[in-house]
Amino acid sequence: MATDLHELLRSLRVWDPEVTSLPSFDPSAAPSTPLELFTAWFAQAVAAGQTEPHTMSLATADAQGRPDVRTVMLHGADTDGWAFASHAHSRKGAHLAGRPYAALGFYWPVLGRQVRVRGPVSAAPSGEAAADLQARSTGALAAALTGRQSEVLGSLDELARASEEAWERAQREPTAPVPSWTLYRLVPEEVEFFQGDERRRHVRLTYRRTDGGWDQELLWP
């Protein structure tokens, strides 16, 4: 029997109280910088058992301004920016080379929270990218060594052969160089924190960068 997508969608509940307990959020008590609040919310998502809280949506645009989005992993967040990595020749790498501006989106449904980040993106020095890759798992290095991200793939057999070779090299050379591997940093100009509410009175707090620091303002849900 074919699945009725619309019926399935109507059957789903958002923030089911049987499995989700939405915390309160008092924006008047928010810290002065978005990094401080992000760090606190991230730690709370981890403590609440959120699956893979470090995954995020990354939105970029091509030369014609057409948007694209994918899920990537957060590699760090500090005063230098929110960090992620990819090959310079990947689709996202090409987008960022031509339009070095992006948006990030985190969603932690176990707490009914979202964080949205927008700003310019730049590539970190190659030494930092190499150190970042070497600090990750053998599998991450093997994937990077495979190296043909976003290119057309002829068959799954071709992928299996390349992956096997990359795994063997990663195990043999844990510091193998991957010249195209790039660590990117997004320096936030705007960061929004969204706290869901069962009665849809969601709290939205936005930080906007100014010459003197950060301005805060509330948004209608």
Side-chain angles (χ1 to χ4, degrees):
M1 183 176 179
T3 299
D4 185 325
L5 177 60
H6 293 90
E7 186 66 29
L8 182 59
L9 287 169
R10 285 191 292 269
S11 72
L12 299 175
R13 300 179 67 184
V14 177
W15 304 322
D16 186 339
E18 294 183 4
V19 296
T20 305
S21 178
L22 299 181
S24 60
F25 173 46
D26 179 6
S28 68
S32 59
T33 70
L35 180 59
E36 293 176 84
L37 185 54
F38 177 83
T39 301
W41 275 27
F42 186 85
Q44 290 164 15
V46 173
Q50 177 63 58
T51 302
E52 299 181 348
H54 56 325
T55 57
M56 60 187 183
S57 298
L58 166 66
T60 58
D62 65 14
Q64 289 72 45
R66 296 173 299 190
D68 203 350
V69 67
R70 74 287 288 163
T71 301
V72 298
M73 183 182 296
L74 178 69
H75 285 216
D78 53 31
T79 54
D80 291 329
W82 269 252
F84 58 94
S86 182
H87 289 284
H89 59 255
S90 67
R91 180 179 294 181
K92 68 181 81 67
H95 287 182
L96 292 170
R99 290 174 176 261
Y101 199 92
L104 308 175
F106 296 86
Y107 180 43
W108 301 316
V110 70
L111 296 174
R113 287 176 170 174
Q114 299 181 56
V115 180
R116 301 166 62 201
V117 188
R118 295 197 301 173
V121 178
S122 61
S126 59
E128 292 184 28
D132 174 77
L133 182 57
Q134 290 169 15
R136 300 180 68 200
S137 66
T138 300
L141 175 58
L145 286 168
T146 304
R148 300 179 63 181
Q149 191 175 40
S150 300
E151 295 182 16
V152 175
L153 174 66
S155 69
L156 293 181
D157 287 341
E158 183 181 355
L159 172 61
R161 289 193 298 272
S163 178
E164 187 64 28
E165 292 173 1
W167 269 90
E168 291 176 0
R169 186 181 178 193
Q171 292 171 329
R172 187 174 65 251
E173 301 177 54
T175 60
V178 186
S180 62
W181 188 253
T182 305
L183 182 68
Y184 294 98
R185 288 197 176 96
L186 185 154
V187 178
E189 294 179 339
E190 180 179 338
V191 185
E192 179 188 323
F193 294 84
F194 172 104
Q195 174 61 67
D197 179 87
E198 292 178 3
R199 300 186 66 179
R200 302 303 190 265
R201 295 184 296 207
H202 314 310
V203 178
R204 296 175 63 189
L205 174 65
T206 294
Y207 289 77
R208 288 191 172 88
R209 188 184 292 274
T210 66
D211 291 339
W214 294 92
D215 283 346
Q216 298 180 21
E217 59 186 7
L218 295 172
L219 301 177
W220 280 85

